[in-house]
Amino acid sequence: MIRVQREIFDVGAEMAALTKGRTDIGAVVSFTGLVRDFNDGSAVTGFSLEHYPGMTERELAKIETEAKARWDLQASLIIHRYGDMALGEPIVLVVTASSHRQDAFDAANFLMDWLKTKAPFWKMEKGEDGETSWVKERQTDIDAAKRWSADSQE
Amino acid sequence: MIRVQREIFDVGAEMAALTKGRTDIGAVVSFTGLVRDFNDGSAVTGFSLEHYPGMTERELAKIETEAKARWDLQASLIIHRYGDMALGEPIVLVVTASSHRQDAFDAANFLMDWLKTKAPFWKMEKGEDGETSWVKERQTDIDAAKRWSADSQE
Amino acid sequence: MKILYFAWLKTKLQMTEETLPWSEERPDTDSLVRWMKSRGPAFAEVFSDLEVVRIAVNQEYIVGNTALNENDEIAFFPPVTGG
Amino acid sequence: MKILYFAWLKTKLQMTEETLPWSEERPDTDSLVRWMKSRGPAFAEVFSDLEVVRIAVNQEYIVGNTALNENDEIAFFPPVTGG
């Protein structure tokens, strides 16, 4: 399940909804990305995310489908926000549920790595001086995403 | 932070409490273990966990300390229940917070693997016939824990 | 053809989208990029380093030169930084 | 010495804990286990396969034979299955 929204979301409520009423799920892993007050050593005072409506949903759906093909998942959820966000607010949530602990961990890790390099979102930060700047891609994110390509089923 | 308790806990509330008021945390990973209605192909109708009070807290604290030594963690939480639990209820929660996504993922994965093989808990399941049985250790858990020993700092 | 710009490309070009009439001079993405570079200093700068410009046609990333049709939606944007 | 039993050891021995007087016959964990085996059929069975019995002294796992003192807490239990 994927959702792209401007509104803030409640991590706990989303996780609870995914497993509510189910007694067949043994392991749930979540990743939450939050707006930090610093980045690369500089103070961040404001934060905004632009995205490409339409393509965002397509890419997230493709990534989720790939995760379901690679791991034994009973449920999964990706929520990604766009627009203005306050410091400390959640930006993204990935939840994976599986019978197997390692499947849930690996799938969540994979979803984040691929999302980081494929989903069309762009972060803009405001610094202490009030200047806004577009965040640059990180080599560590590129490298992290490549880990999953060696055993790609594509 | 570690907690060993009989009472049920609220995954979302625990996660929220860990990051509440903080704007320096970028990544939070959680693992939740739930009581399933089957195990190794057999139906499970009831569930109970015995533990070794005192040693449990010591082992969990040691495991958490080891994770903090290995990864850059801003916060961590381990909650483990004991006693009787209903199907679908949470058994264990591990939460890790870090500036770095991969640190949060790896630390949570490690905490679960070591907890599974070191923390003195024993599961008892009740089957469809009403018979109770102690759950046997799994080779996959032993192997999973060994992954983290190759680069052990001990 | 509908053209979309995102993030710093949008900021530099001061444009979020535009509609271009179909032209046989721009039958594919390579020729479209060449034409873009010729539009003026801001465009020349934005398209000077294609290493930092991603292209999507009809909301799919493209690999290599890609043929274009009249009703295509072409998007130019930097490497993504979400998550 | 305080002795604790957990999980199926507790079930089979029908005992969760007991206090043993200090004895020079049981100065370490190896001799304690030998003495345990001699206590009767249930004990002999429980301690027959030490591969599936873990030992903790004063709430710490032990490695190899370990010296015991009068006020020690010794626990016997199967491989753990929490989480």
Side-chain angles (χ1 to χ4, degrees):
Chain A
M1 195 163 49
I2 65 160
R3 262 165 48 206
V4 181
Q5 63 185 50
R6 186 182 288 275
E7 307 74 42
I8 197 167
F9 55 83
D10 182 319
V11 172
E14 298 294 344
M15 289 178 67
L18 200 69
T19 56
K20 189 176 161 61
R22 296 188 66 162
T23 55
D24 61 327
I25 290 173
V28 179
V29 169
S30 77
F31 175 89
T32 311
L34 302 159
V35 183
R36 276 192 305 179
D37 56 15
F38 66 95
N39 189 19
D40 284 333
S42 300
V44 174
T45 60
F47 185 88
S48 187
L49 259 172
E50 186 179 357
H51 81 122
Y52 183 174
M55 183 168 173
T56 302
E57 289 79 358
R58 292 166 75 111
E59 285 296 316
L60 292 182
K62 278 199 271 184
I63 295 167
E64 188 184 48
T65 300
E66 179 69 23
K68 283 179 172 165
R70 291 187 185 212
W71 291 281
D72 176 17
L73 298 183
Q74 292 171 297
S76 60
L77 171 66
I78 304 173
I79 304 177
H80 206 304
R81 292 174 68 200
Y82 63 89
D84 296 337
M85 293 168 219
L87 303 182
E89 284 188 4
I91 306 165
V92 60
L93 174 67
V94 158
V95 189
T96 52
S98 176
S99 301
H100 311 289
R101 172 167 96 256
Q102 200 55 47
D103 278 36
F105 268 117
D106 289 346
N109 207 333
F110 164 86
L111 284 168
M112 280 309 304
D113 285 348
W114 271 33
L115 185 159
K116 281 257 175 193
T117 55
K118 292 174 193 280
F121 288 95
W122 302 277
K123 284 178 178 154
M124 178 182 260
E125 292 174 344
K126 189 188 280 187
E128 274 184 312
D129 52 7
E131 288 284 299
T132 58
S133 59
W134 293 101
V135 173
K136 289 203 173 54
E137 73 176 327
R138 292 167 183 275
Q139 188 59 41
T140 52
D141 286 335
I142 300 168
D143 295 341
K146 280 183 187 158
R147 292 187 298 164
W148 308 100
S149 297
D151 57 336
S152 174
Q153 294 169 359
E154 288 176 289
Chain B
M1 195 161 50
I2 66 161
R3 261 165 48 206
V4 181
Q5 63 185 50
R6 185 182 289 276
E7 307 73 43
I8 197 167
F9 55 84
D10 181 318
V11 172
E14 298 295 345
M15 289 179 66
L18 200 69
T19 56
K20 187 175 163 62
R22 296 188 66 163
T23 56
D24 61 326
I25 291 173
V28 178
V29 168
S30 77
F31 176 89
T32 312
L34 302 158
V35 183
R36 277 191 306 181
D37 56 14
F38 65 96
N39 189 21
D40 285 332
S42 299
V44 173
T45 60
F47 185 88
S48 187
L49 258 173
E50 186 180 356
H51 82 120
Y52 182 175
M55 183 169 173
T56 303
E57 289 81 358
R58 292 165 75 109
E59 285 297 315
L60 292 181
K62 279 199 271 184
I63 295 167
E64 189 184 47
T65 299
E66 180 69 22
K68 284 179 172 165
R70 292 187 185 210
W71 291 281
D72 177 17
L73 298 183
Q74 294 171 296
S76 61
L77 172 66
I78 305 173
I79 303 178
H80 206 304
R81 292 174 67 200
Y82 61 90
D84 295 337
M85 294 168 218
L87 302 183
E89 284 188 2
I91 305 164
V92 61
L93 173 67
V94 158
V95 188
T96 53
S98 176
S99 302
H100 311 290
R101 169 169 97 257
Q102 201 55 46
D103 278 37
F105 268 117
D106 289 346
N109 207 332
F110 163 85
L111 284 169
M112 281 308 303
D113 285 349
W114 271 32
L115 186 160
K116 281 257 178 194
T117 54
K118 291 175 193 282
F121 287 96
W122 300 276
K123 283 179 178 152
M124 179 183 258
E125 292 174 344
K126 190 188 278 186
E128 274 184 313
D129 52 9
E131 289 283 301
T132 58
S133 59
W134 292 101
V135 172
K136 288 202 175 56
E137 73 177 328
R138 292 169 183 276
Q139 188 60 41
T140 52
D141 286 334
I142 298 169
D143 295 341
K146 280 184 187 156
R147 293 185 299 162
W148 308 100
S149 297
D151 59 334
S152 173
Q153 294 167 359
E154 289 178 286
Chain C
M1 295 191 297
K2 189 175 170 190
I3 315 286
L4 305 176
Y5 306 97
F6 293 98
W8 62 256
L9 282 76
K10 176 188 73 175
T11 311
K12 282 208 175 141
L13 298 174
Q14 295 181 287
M15 180 156 48
T16 61
E17 69 175 82
E18 63 181 324
T19 303
L20 291 183
W22 171 253
S23 161
E24 291 190 359
E25 288 173 56
R26 316 182 280 260
D28 49 35
T29 50
D30 280 1
S31 54
L32 176 63
V33 167
R34 274 197 301 275
W35 180 82
M36 285 284 177
K37 286 181 180 174
S38 73
R39 293 174 83 186
F43 282 92
E45 187 193 341
V46 159
F47 289 96
S48 63
D49 182 5
L50 293 174
E51 284 288 308
V52 294
V53 175
R54 301 282 176 274
I55 307 175
V57 174
N58 298 326
Q59 307 187 348
E60 299 274 354
Y61 288 104
I62 62 162
V63 180
N65 190 23
T66 301
L68 296 174
N69 294 301
E70 189 165 358
N71 295 317
D72 284 345
E73 175 177 300
I74 299 108
F76 296 103
F77 50 79
V80 304
T81 56
Chain D
M1 295 191 296
K2 191 173 168 188
I3 314 285
L4 304 174
Y5 305 98
F6 293 97
W8 61 257
L9 281 78
K10 176 188 71 176
T11 312
K12 282 210 175 141
L13 298 175
Q14 294 181 286
M15 180 158 48
T16 61
E17 71 175 79
E18 63 180 326
T19 302
L20 291 184
W22 171 255
S23 160
E24 291 190 359
E25 287 174 57
R26 316 182 282 260
D28 51 33
T29 50
D30 279 3
S31 54
L32 176 63
V33 166
R34 274 196 303 276
W35 180 81
M36 285 283 179
K37 286 181 180 173
S38 73
R39 293 174 83 187
F43 281 92
E45 188 192 341
V46 160
F47 289 97
S48 63
D49 181 5
L50 293 176
E51 284 289 306
V52 294
V53 175
R54 300 283 176 274
I55 308 175
V57 174
N58 298 325
Q59 307 188 347
E60 299 276 353
Y61 288 104
I62 61 161
V63 180
N65 190 22
T66 299
L68 295 175
N69 295 299
E70 190 164 358
N71 294 316
D72 283 347
E73 176 177 298
I74 298 108
F76 296 103
F77 50 78
V80 304
T81 55

